Amino acid sequence: MAATGTGRRAVGRPGRPGQAKGAPRRPRLPAAYAHAARISLRVTLAAGAGFYLFLYGFGQTVAATYALFAAVSLAGLSRIPGTGRQRAEVLVRLIPAVWLLIAAGTFLAVRTWSAVLGMLVIGFALAFVAVGGPRPAGAAPGLQLMYILPSFPPYAPDTLGERLVGATVGLVLLIAAEAWLLPDPPTVPYRELAARAALTAERCARELTRPPYGLSPATREAAGAAAETLRPSRVPEAERPAGPGVRSRALAHTGLATRTLINRLLRLPALPPGEDPADDGLDILRAVGRSTSDTAARLRGAGADPSRDAARAGADADDAATARTRALLACATARDVPPQALRRRAALIELADAALALSSASRLAVRGRAAASEVAPHRFSYASERAPSLWWRRLIGHAGSRSVFFQNAVRISLALAAARAVAGMATLPHGFWALLATLTLTRTTVVATRTTVRQAVTGTLIGALITAGVLALVGTDTTVYAVVMVPLLLLTFTVGPVKGVGWAQALFAIVVALVFAQLAPATWRLAEVRLLDVLIGSAIGAVFGLLAWPRGAQDEVRRSCAAMLRAAAETVVATTAAVASGTARTTAREGPVGYGTLHHWLVLAESAFAQLQSEPPGQESPARDWQTVLLTGHHTLWGVERALAPPVTSKRGPDPRAAVAVTRLGDRVAGRMLLQSATLDPLGGAPPPALRPAGVEAWEATHHDGPDDATGGFYAADAWLRSLLLDLERLAQGPPEAARATPGADTTSAPRPSP
């Protein structure tokens, strides 16, 4: 037997480097548990230290309660994205808001109706502030609890000071734990991702200026991968530029411009046979390469020397603007040039325009309003505005029933107000547990709410049974509760977020019982009260989940995208009419019809799609590629500016045959957009049959060239419209198989189960 055992070890799997042969493998904690354990340890230390300090050190039960719940609400209940240090920075800025909410809840608790009214207004405001990005959205649930807790009886304004001191100490301890205890692995900032992608674009531009004047397979693969890293669903929530400020919005546009530039480089038409490379855009490509290289350097090193950064920004802008001007003039002044060469020059216009957009957006992202005078105001209208104005614009833009942020705020505020009214009129003991259940169990769809409530009630029932047994056996011996609370709190916030809401509710029910058993004598009936409150709160949440937009973002993303495509069709028709009639310059100053409407619906569609990614996959038939729909809207907006660029138009007036050709192509694109919008939202009628596109390649076989004397302006508009046809063809084909199988998998913003 010994020989047999030795033989097995000899042919076994080799050990890891640095590990002794035959030594047992050390068990590794799964990544999800490791991440939850780090957060749980910080919450437990902050909440436990504050609670024990005030309760057993100073004998202040009120301060002890607020110290514990301040840490639990803003770290366990909230989901602020980012590393520990990033969350600590957010928590520091939230301290004044916590003070205001505790004071408001304390004074509004004088009457039930005032507390309900305050819950309605404050609940809506805290939920609606999610329009500001992932961090405000993540902090909102915890801030809600900071109003809920003091808004219940007893009405005791004389204890406001003790409440504020306890909450402040709990928050300070939490901030210290987040900042210095068990640091999280660092994440790659979005600016660094954009800089890497810009360097990849520079590599592409450099290869296109050298024989054989094409991209190698390795470069194409690297370019595609670099563009994918900037997709918002691939970026950690804390690094996504989603705020309303100048720098945040400009950084988002930097990522979009970089992805657009890479795509334009990948799709640049090859040099026509027999053409001299020196005369066909190599100088433009070199200027684009210099511009993207300087942009990447600035994104990586801005802030060390402002004067040097400003000089670099000027050189970068000169290169990008020079490339764009050369491309526009080369296309506008072309005479006796083969159509293939004109198509390449039209594509160079789009390429150089994307480089200029990247240069301008990156300068705003790095220097903020200081760079407002260096960018085009029609493209970056927010560049010179101050933060309050930009916040107001975003709030007003989402203040309507078509915004999912507005829908979520209405749903949760009505549910919380109803729960507060029921708890006040029925004089529920520990009634804030009912509101806590409503807050944590209400989801954006009725299906998700039903599933969550079922799991939560089951978990609460199990936790209540265990709690009743513990309270009956231990009685009033608070020493046992004090010893058990800390490890149980650690277990709750480690296992709950990973195992789901059922486990979280079961464990949290026991933790809450241990806490209140230390604050005042408790019997096994405390578990009964907890179960009753959770049942009431979850029932209220389920009712409002059913009544208020029960399908969540599934309907809204469909309506918003359909409205966006209708506005895009209107914009395409107006733009091509201006190009065909020779009034592009006038239209560029005034803006084409539908341009503002298209931008408005694009913003609403993007917010609805962001929420859709965090919801459980629906039974949508047929499956939709929503990202392609949104990219179609972006390409329409950007193409309008390029098609109406003044140098593209010819001074000798529009050519009749070219005008007819571009008008027909524009009508074709607009018609396809309207058909696609009808498949998304029939507006009360029957949806049209599934589209069977003939394919852009087949259509180009018979409509490849324009009129013999067509100018570069025709080919510039033609290139834009053909790119839109490609988008619409991909949209008609549906999403890839991977996305079709798991439509909700490409997301990093799924809500974490909380107690």
Side-chain angles (χ1 to χ4, degrees), residues 414-601:
L414 289 176
L416 290 175
R420 180 63 183 88
V422 171
M425 292 185 293
T427 61
L428 293 177
H430 300 290
F432 81 95
W433 287 346
L435 272 77
L436 181 60
T438 302
L439 178 65
T440 57
L441 301 180
T442 303
R443 296 292 186 262
T444 56
T445 68
V446 66
V447 175
T449 300
R450 183 172 61 245
T451 303
T452 302
V453 167
R454 182 174 63 249
Q455 296 173 353
V457 170
T458 303
T460 303
L461 178 59
I462 296 173
L465 293 175
I466 298 174
T467 299
V470 171
L471 293 176
L473 291 174
V474 178
T476 58
D477 189 356
T478 58
T479 304
V480 176
Y481 302 138
V483 171
V484 176
M485 188 190 77
V486 170
L488 188 59
L489 195 63
L490 183 64
L491 180 65
T492 299
F493 290 106
T494 301
V495 176
V498 180
K499 299 293 288 184
V501 67
W503 282 80
Q505 286 290 331
L507 293 170
F508 196 68
I510 305 173
V511 169
V512 168
L514 298 182
V515 170
F516 281 91
Q518 297 176 69
L519 296 173
T523 66
W524 64 271
R525 290 191 174 276
L526 182 64
E528 179 184 4
V529 172
R530 163 76 177 171
L531 179 60
L532 176 63
D533 288 340
V534 170
L535 288 174
I536 293 175
S538 59
I540 293 174
V543 169
F544 280 92
L546 176 64
L547 297 179
W549 298 283
R551 286 175 55 85
Q554 294 183 22
D555 284 344
E556 204 51 56
V557 71
R558 180 171 51 81
R559 295 193 190 99
S560 299
C561 286
M564 182 202 71
L565 287 174
R566 287 192 289 269
E570 185 179 14
T571 303
V572 166
V573 171
T575 302
T576 53
V579 172
S581 62
T583 60
R585 293 176 177 172
T586 304
T587 307
R589 289 193 299 267
E590 300 174 353
V593 175
Y595 188 88
T597 305
L598 171 58
H599 184 271
H600 171 73
W601 282 111

Side-chain angles (χ1 to χ4, degrees), residues 39 42-44 46-47 65-80 87 91 94 98 101-102 126 135-150 166-168 170-171 174 178 432 436 439-440 489 493 508 752 754-755:
I39 297 177
R42 298 167 190 154
V43 177
T44 300
T65 302
Y66 279 79
L68 183 140
F69 276 99
V72 168
S73 63
L74 288 170
L77 181 61
S78 295
R79 189 180 181 276
I80 303 174
R87 288 192 294 271
L91 291 173
L94 290 179
V98 170
L101 291 170
I102 292 176
L126 291 177
R135 288 192 175 97
L143 293 176
Q144 299 271 20
L145 187 59
M146 288 292 93
Y147 170 81
I148 291 172
L149 186 60
T168 303
L171 280 177
L174 178 61
E178 291 279 18
F432 81 95
L436 181 60
L439 178 65
T440 57
L489 195 63
F493 290 106
F508 196 68
R752 183 179 63 178
S754 54

